[in-house]
């Protein structure tokens, strides 16, 4: 069946690095998205991976391994404003978007 | 002006009330979506409209009724809801229905509480 797993909550320290993992089992694969959602706000697009490897965008990087059904979002030089939920989503072969439940990231000073 | 605007931001209604949620997008997109977001659960896709035509209805109860008068506006009509329908309802848009490479642009959501 369809399933996307990501940790429910993570805590990290300001200035540090954190890696948020996402594993998926879907009916085909046409790409993986990461979205950021601050409390009470709209989810906003962070990254899109369709080929294996690492995509870097400033302090944020996203990695994909299609053979392992695995992705991670890497956040460097953490800032307090990075406290948010991070949503992993996979596009299946029929272009249906399947979502994980999100990882709440708490940044401590 | 934000790309996707939802009103109202908060709504409290009784089980016998009828209300509507409104979504408007200023991005020139052709596809619009309604999602339900409950605490600690994945986003649930409810309805999809592409070029004003409904293309998906993911087994949503009939007490939720969507309306898309044009490609910029989307409504969700609510009637005789249940307390378990309390959630954040998110509207989103994308360039077209092909979500393969098209990112979604979300509104800030309408927080619904059913008493």
């Amino acid at each position: 069946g369809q399933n996307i797993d990501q940790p429910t909550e993570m805590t990290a320290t300001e200035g540090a690095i954190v890696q948020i993992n996402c594993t998926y089992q879907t009916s085909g694969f046409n790409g993986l998205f990461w979205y950021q959602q601050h409390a009470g706000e709209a989810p906003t697009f962070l990254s899109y991976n369709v080929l294996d490897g690492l995509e870097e965008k400033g302090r944020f990087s996203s990695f994909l391994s299609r053979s392992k059904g695995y992705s991670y979002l890497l956040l460097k030089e953490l800032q307090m404003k990075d406290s948010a939920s991070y949503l992993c989503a996979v596009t299946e072969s029929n272009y249906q978007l399947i979502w994980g439940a999100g990882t709440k990231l708490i940044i401590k000073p | 002006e934000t790309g996707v605007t939802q009103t109202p931001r908060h709504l409290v209604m009784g089980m016998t009330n009828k209300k509507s949620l409104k979504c408007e997008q200023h991005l020139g997109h052709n596809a619009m979506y309604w999602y339900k977001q409950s605490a600690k659960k994945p986003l649930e896709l409810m309805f999809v409209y592409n070029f004003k035509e409904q293309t998906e209805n993911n087994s949503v109860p009939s007490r939720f009724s969507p309306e898309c008068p044009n490609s910029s506006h989307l409504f969700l009509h609510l009637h005789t809801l249940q307390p378990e329908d309390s959630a954040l309802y998110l509207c989103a848009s994308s360039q077209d229905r092909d979500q393969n490479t098209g990112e979604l642009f979300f509104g800030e959501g309408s927080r619904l509480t059913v008493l």
Side-chain angles (χ1 to χ4, degrees):
Chain A
Q2 308 160 333
N3 194 46
I4 294 185
D5 286 319
Q6 50 181 133
T8 302
E9 186 174 299
M10 298 181 70
T11 302
T13 304
E14 189 177 15
I17 299 174
V18 70
Q19 176 175 311
I20 302 174
N21 296 325
C22 172
T23 58
Y24 62 89
Q25 291 177 311
T26 55
S27 301
F29 178 85
N30 269 321
L32 185 144
F33 291 87
W34 283 97
Y35 282 79
Q36 179 190 60
Q37 185 178 22
H38 286 101
E41 298 184 11
T44 55
F45 170 83
L46 285 179
S47 66
Y48 172 70
N49 294 68
V50 65
L51 300 176
D52 290 350
L54 187 68
E55 297 275 348
E56 297 185 74
K57 191 185 295 184
R59 294 188 299 113
F60 292 9
S61 302
S62 56
F63 172 83
L64 174 67
S65 169
R66 288 172 297 172
S67 62
K68 296 182 179 178
Y70 168 70
S71 171
Y72 66 73
L73 181 68
L74 190 71
L75 292 75
K76 301 177 182 178
E77 301 171 15
L78 286 171
Q79 302 175 10
M80 297 303 293
K81 67 179 182 180
D82 297 329
S83 293
S85 288
Y86 292 86
L87 312 178
C88 175
V90 171
T91 305
E92 295 189 307
S93 54
N94 62 355
Y95 302 119
Q96 183 83 292
L97 196 60
I98 306 300
W99 294 83
T103 299
K104 182 179 180 181
L105 177 64
I106 299 169
I107 309 299
K108 295 186 174 179
Chain B
E1 189 175 66
T2 57
V4 181
T5 305
Q6 289 187 242
T7 55
R9 294 292 310 278
H10 300 273
L11 178 63
V12 179
M13 59 188 289
M15 289 189 286
T16 59
N17 293 158
K18 290 184 179 181
K19 298 286 185 182
S20 295
L21 307 181
K22 178 183 176 182
C23 176
E24 184 175 358
Q25 58 100 357
H26 310 278
L27 300 169
H29 289 165
N30 298 311
M32 296 187 76
Y33 312 78
W34 279 117
Y35 278 94
K36 177 182 180 182
Q37 187 174 37
S38 302
K40 299 183 180 180
K41 290 185 178 180
L43 286 175
E44 297 175 48
L45 180 64
M46 300 176 71
F47 302 103
V48 182
Y49 279 82
N50 200 36
F51 292 93
K52 301 188 298 179
E53 297 298 320
Q54 183 174 316
T55 59
E56 284 186 52
N57 174 345
N58 281 7
S59 303
V60 180
S62 60
R63 58 186 183 269
F64 294 92
S65 175
E67 179 189 359
C68 188
N70 54 62
S71 57
S72 298
H73 293 84
L74 186 64
F75 295 89
L76 188 62
H77 303 300
L78 317 169
H79 62 99
T80 59
L81 294 190
Q82 304 298 311
E84 59 264 29
D85 296 323
S86 298
L88 181 68
Y89 289 84
L90 290 166
C91 174
S93 70
S94 67
Q95 188 58 52
D96 56 41
R97 173 58 181 90
D98 179 357
Q99 300 181 71
N100 184 14
T101 58
E103 68 181 89
L104 295 177
F105 292 78
F106 286 89
E108 293 188 317
S110 294
R111 172 69 62 184
L112 173 66
T113 302
V114 182
L115 302 176

